[in-house]
Amino acid sequence: SQDEIRKCCFTVSSPSAFAWEDNFKRMDKAAAFKAAIADSVDSNLYGLPTRYAKDVKPYVAKEFQTYYHDQWLVEWLAAPEEKRTAQDGHDYIASEFQTYFGGSWNTKWAASPVAEQKRIAADGKTYTMQEFQAYYKDTWQQEFFKSAEIADECAFLNNTACSAAGDKCIWKFTGDWTDSCILKTSKAADIVV
């Protein structure tokens, strides 16, 4: 019923929910539900999250909708999410940034570098998204998700290996060696070792 769709869709915090509700009344149930999903995904986390499409470029939800039309949601859900490297040296997706930083997450997200995501393929070697796409073509996303994720280049390095990583990693002992080697960021670079 229209009330069910209304409860589903308008409880999502959407800046255009009130204006959208007027349009909703003029649509049939299926069209209203599709529009509500698109609007909700567009509005999620201020519309900042991006995902990597088949061309290995990051796009926001609205761009997926424009390019893939009726298949946009299938493509959106099949695409890896962009990650950014936070001040702690770890990589996070947008929703994790929001959890970690709270109200200031979006400014921290915008100021943080895009993380290079790598996975370990079936051959035991590490590859970037671009390398997965070059080999697997249009099925790279499925193969990428099947492969083991590498949290970041510095994860699980001991002090000696971290120091040998040169300008990419810095040792900041946390009490646990497995997470003490972190990626250098503008904040981490100021730490005196």
Side-chain angles (χ1 to χ4, degrees):
S1 76
Q2 287 188 349
D3 285 340
E4 291 170 333
I5 294 172
R6 182 183 216 199
K7 287 176 188 173
C8 159
C9 303
F10 296 123
T11 56
V12 175
S13 63
S14 168
S16 59
F18 295 110
W20 193 87
E21 186 173 7
D22 289 336
N23 291 332
F24 161 78
K25 292 176 183 176
R26 297 182 198 113
M27 298 179 189
D28 66 51
K29 185 177 179 178
F33 192 67
K34 284 173 69 174
I37 291 170
D39 189 58
S40 297
V41 174
D42 288 345
S43 301
N44 183 42
L45 300 169
Y46 306 115
L48 294 176
T50 61
R51 293 185 182 227
Y52 292 92
K54 288 187 167 104
D55 64 358
V56 199
K57 292 180 184 170
Y59 300 98
V60 295
K62 182 98 38 210
E63 293 169 313
F64 267 75
Q65 292 164 15
T66 300
Y67 186 79
Y68 290 109
H69 305 289
D70 288 341
Q71 289 298 307
W72 80 268
L73 187 58
V74 172
E75 295 293 336
W76 176 258
L77 295 174
E81 293 181 65
E82 178 185 68
K83 291 185 175 188
R84 303 253 175 134
T85 305
Q87 293 173 337
D88 67 356
H90 297 288
D91 301 335
Y92 301 99
I93 60 174
S95 61
E96 292 169 330
F97 251 76
Q98 182 188 39
T99 300
Y100 185 75
F101 290 112
S104 66
W105 80 270
N106 55 323
T107 55
K108 304 254 188 216
W109 174 264
S112 298
V114 174
E116 180 178 51
Q117 297 182 54
K118 296 181 179 180
R119 300 256 174 147
I120 302 170
D123 65 3
K125 295 180 183 174
T126 301
Y127 299 101
T128 64
M129 285 185 189
Q130 291 78 8
E131 292 167 328
F132 268 86
Q133 195 269 345
Y135 186 77
Y136 292 107
K137 308 295 182 216
D138 280 349
T139 62
W140 78 266
Q141 295 159 316
Q142 292 91 350
E143 296 302 323
F144 188 77
F145 280 124
K146 286 182 199 175
S147 302
E149 182 176 3
I150 297 176
D152 61 56
E153 293 180 57
C154 303
F156 298 101
L157 296 181
N158 63 25
N159 192 355
T160 305
C162 187
S163 298
D167 62 346
K168 290 185 179 183
C169 305
I170 189 165
W171 185 259
K172 183 180 175 191
F173 191 64
T174 64
D176 178 1
W177 73 269
T178 63
D179 66 1
S180 294
C181 185
I182 61 172
L183 288 171
K184 281 188 180 177
T185 63
S186 56
K187 186 171 183 173
D190 296 335
I191 299 170
V192 177
V193 185

